[in-house]
Amino acid sequence: MADLRTDFAGIRSPNPFWLASGPPTNTYGQVARAFDRGWGGAVWKTVGEPIVNTYSRYGGIDLGAVRMMGFNNIELITDRPVEDNLREVALLKKRYPGHALVVSLMVESKRETWHDIVRRTEDTGADGLELNFGCPHGMSERGMGSAVGQVPDYTCQIVEWVKEVATTPVIVKLTPNVTDVTYIARAAAQGGADAVSLINSINSIMGVDLDTFHPHPHVAGKGSHGGYCGPAVKPIALNMVAAVAQDARVRIPISGIGGIQTWKDAAEFIALGATTVQLCTAVMHYGFRLIEDLVDGLSNWMDEKGYATLDAWRGRAAPNVVKWEDLNLNYRTIAVIDQAKCIHCGLCYAACEDGAHQAIAIRRRDGARFAESGIGAVRFNGDHRWDVEIIEEACVGCNLCSLVCPVQGCITMQEVATGAAPVTWREYAAGRGKLAPRPEHYVTVA
Amino acid sequence: MRQLAATLPEERYEANFADLAPPLTPDQALGESSRCLFCYDAPCTTACPTHIDVPAFIKMIASGNLRGAAREILDANPMGHSCARACPVEVLCEGACVLNQLHKRPIEIARLQRYATDFALEHRLRLFEPGAATGRRVAVVGAGPAGLACAQDLRRCGHDVVIFEAREFPGGLNTYSIADYKMKPPTALAEARMVLDLGAELRTGVRVGEDVSFEELLEQYDAVFVGVGLGGTRRLGIPGESLHGVVDALSFIEELKLRPKREVAVGRRVVVVGAGNTAIDAATQAKRLGAERVTIVYRRTDADMPAYHYEYELAKADGCEFRWSTLPVRFVGNAVVEAVECVRTQSGRPLPGTEFRLDADMVVLAIGQEPRASLLARIPGVRFQNGRLLADPATGQTSNPRVFTGGDCANGGKEIVNAAADGKRAAAAIHALLRTMPQPVPAGG
């Protein structure tokens, strides 16, 4: 069995799976239950001066019958007294010394206030601090959360104040609601942060009720933009993690967050450079029991691949994320349809013809042109009237048909040897290297 | 003495005749509609004789546009609701679903179609408008699925339509003969009403050919559509067929559909003759009315059985028994049937010396319907082929250019969906014909 133990900026945990700061880490009972179940760590829900929450506060977006493809919330930081939170953190740490327990913090942007909360928090014995510079709703209107995390100077300044007194590792949680997350990550590193975690949630309105015109979620008919998260945001989070991981001016450990539901999702974050991962929405959807497959699946995959530790493969994918101008323009792929697997749904044809590059033909078996086909000739017993074919000279290898095809392995993208040496845009634009011949397929209308 | 089955408690009748496929819940409809791949040039649409754009209406259900879904269905097939309940979808749209090839359950198209059309019927949606009045008049003879489908499209083209129906109610077999666990008369009438709401006039209790002649119709109307269906059940022509307790399947089914179930006489031991879909309907419903033993006798083998496979499965699940290669030769009894004397057959022919008796206090004949030959013979200028009206299959036009036909009387007896397709094709052809006629003189005062 693979060794999943993790050392994140000095904070150790039995596995890289942490609960992100949020509703699942609001009480002693929840976190204790999670640790009992096998979670490696938890970031305690953000502690600060108590606030008052609205009642209605979560929203979901479904994909067909699949619920909560995306999720958002307008819940603020903890609404429990600071003392209650810190007492429970201390009890937890005593009972679970081997688990990572980090406390998320958010207070007014005053040096003394930060000093005070950091000292009181560290008195609990917690393993580290996560500065919540990312919360996009509510708190930002009061000059906290993403209001800090969107300005590099503020970020750097507050990290410096915290580091003046902190004795445990300081993690800065980054907001994605910026034009370039690396600027904020650099500011955190410059201020002395020991690590960053990202992404926090994304500004969002989940929808509009077309009967009442209330936004989702609504509070007595009114709504406010909330933090978007859940499976739908994973690609955004992966991109930001990769950007931070490769930035030479950051170079501190990363805790990856955003849409993780399975061990595969988690492994992708780690492959792009994350040391630990944090989950919240998936737990809000399914509960703590998710940890069993997270640990087991990752461990089995590592065993299969021969990786003894997480460090053995961490960041392996990061160098493969490059600028567009460094991509090989002479790498040619083409779609290949396995006719034996085709079920004749026609989705590839519709997608390519209307939505992409007109490189799939639909050929009637009786030789008639499709536009004249009419209807009524097909028999249902698998005797189809037409077949789809790739027009090779027109196919740009864009992948779309293989993405819409509902049959696994029916349309695959296969590399075509061009015989030409690799050439990137950077080289080509500089007059170096030659492009291989390319499909010329567009019908030009005079 | 004929033994009748005991009356059942009312709730048993309700359970026995409840919808075989209950309506989908909103959650089920969302889940099922979300599974649809939205095929291009979809085989389900091709397989449907009325070519309903199935992926289009299913995506409308998924998006919550039930009105649009109902319109999509009923535009292509005015009988889309009864088809959703009674179509043999296993050999039509659902049999064609590409998911079958992935060894996945095909989309439950029929139940989704019912979900959308239920919405239209429940809210009595006005989905279509009559066309601008053309002054043309069309007589539709027979208010069954073919006639109603024809009438809807003619009204949408703006032609005046008068539907002549010999029976008390419109709907044809939808009202009088569909197995009650598939559709009940009020539903068939509600579906017919949606067509009538477009302004087609319905005259019930009028027997064309007797109360009014075809000649009169051809004088008073610019075109005539004949959708009179088939006639009575065929007779076996064997001794004892007039004994009390020997009934024909259509009369039996009609009675159980129109009267309270407890008032419908059903024997304890029922023998059904024939193995078509109507025979199955009679057998299962006899069982569901309380018959203790129902035996289907068929002179050929199970491989020759005309009933659909799933109908056969339903009859077996209901506890009906099958006697293959068995031919009734005499009904035995003294005024009242007591037994059926049968003979074993080979290739449908009797094997001498193999006679045996089946006890029966009720016999249901379900060996097909007679064509309405004498009625159809009264239409001027038409010709016949194999006892059916000779007509162009693409238009339903008979040898009399102003007379069109469709449905069972034209196709020999098929599904509701075939009748609806026939009616629509004829409506299109009638519309094309009427446009070529000289303009009518405006109706004077």
Side-chain angles (χ1 to χ4, degrees), chain B residues 218 224 379-383 390 396-404:
Chain B
L218 282 164
V224 176
I379 308 173
V382 296
R383 283 188 286 165
L390 183 64
Q397 191 171 35
T398 66
S399 312
N400 181 333
R402 291 202 291 133
V403 177
F404 296 75

Side-chain angles (χ1 to χ4, degrees), chain B residues 118-288:
Chain B
D118 268 344
F119 178 79
L121 288 183
E122 277 162 22
H123 295 84
R124 205 169 169 178
L125 296 185
R126 193 178 175 88
L127 295 170
F128 308 105
E129 293 297 328
T134 63
R136 297 294 182 189
R137 287 165 59 76
V138 181
V140 170
V141 184
L148 289 169
C150 186
Q152 169 164 308
D153 279 15
L154 289 171
R155 282 302 299 140
R156 291 177 67 187
C157 292
H159 307 302
D160 282 348
V161 175
V162 178
I163 308 175
F164 296 89
E165 170 55 54
R167 309 288 308 255
E168 186 183 357
F169 300 113
L173 296 183
N174 281 359
T175 302
Y176 291 98
S177 304
I178 281 187
D180 216 42
Y181 46 72
K182 290 182 183 167
M183 183 162 71
K184 295 185 173 49
T187 310
L189 295 180
E191 185 176 46
R193 193 177 57 205
M194 287 195 83
V195 173
L196 300 177
D197 282 349
L198 275 166
E201 184 190 337
L202 174 66
R203 295 185 192 163
T204 54
V206 181
R207 305 180 77 88
V208 173
E210 292 176 19
D211 303 329
V212 54
S213 69
F214 281 103
E215 284 82 356
E216 285 172 274
L217 292 187
L218 282 164
E219 273 170 32
Q220 293 163 17
Y221 296 87
D222 296 298
V224 176
F225 176 79
V226 179
V228 295
L230 294 170
T233 302
R234 288 200 175 90
R235 307 292 285 179
L236 279 166
I238 59 173
E241 212 163 351
S242 56
L243 285 173
H244 191 64
V246 179
V247 300
D248 78 89
L250 290 180
S251 306
F252 169 59
I253 293 170
E254 183 177 316
E255 187 189 8
L256 74 89
K257 283 181 71 70
L258 297 184
R259 288 178 54 189
K261 303 283 185 284
R262 62 172 55 250
E263 294 175 14
V264 180
V266 65
R268 286 175 53 218
R269 291 158 175 259
V270 178
V271 169
V272 176
V273 184
N277 295 309
T278 303
I280 303 278
D281 285 351
T284 53
Q285 292 182 105
K287 203 80 173 53
R288 287 161 188 251

Side-chain angles (χ1 to χ4, degrees), chain A residues 316-374:
Chain A
R316 281 279 188 95
N320 293 332
V321 180
V322 297
K323 288 184 171 176
W324 195 96
E325 64 180 9
D326 292 325
L327 300 174
N328 178 6
L329 297 174
N330 282 342
Y331 171 74
R332 181 163 188 219
T333 56
I334 197 166
V336 176
I337 299 173
D338 182 343
Q339 295 292 349
K341 288 185 176 160
C342 177
I343 59 169
H344 298 82
C345 67
L347 288 173
C348 58
Y349 171 77
C352 187
E353 183 70 9
D354 293 353
H357 297 93
Q358 300 81 51
I360 295 181
I362 201 158
R363 302 225 194 272
R364 276 188 50 138
R365 290 185 175 176
D366 62 8
R369 277 173 42 204
F370 190 72
E372 299 162 358
S373 66

Side-chain angles (χ1 to χ4, degrees), chain A residues 80-125:
Chain A
R80 309 174 65 207
V82 176
E83 300 72 31
D84 290 4
N85 280 297
L86 296 183
R87 188 178 60 249
E88 290 186 11
V89 167
L91 281 171
L92 261 175
K93 193 60 221 175
K94 209 168 282 169
R95 184 170 153 199
Y96 297 93
H99 291 70
L101 186 59
V102 171
V103 179
S104 172
L105 299 176
M106 185 196 293
V107 292
E108 269 188 293
S109 297
K110 288 181 182 160
R111 190 180 180 197
E112 297 71 30
T113 314
W114 275 104
H115 282 180
D116 179 59
I117 194 72
V118 167
R119 289 195 181 102
R120 290 171 68 190
T121 304
E122 290 195 334
D123 284 347
T124 63

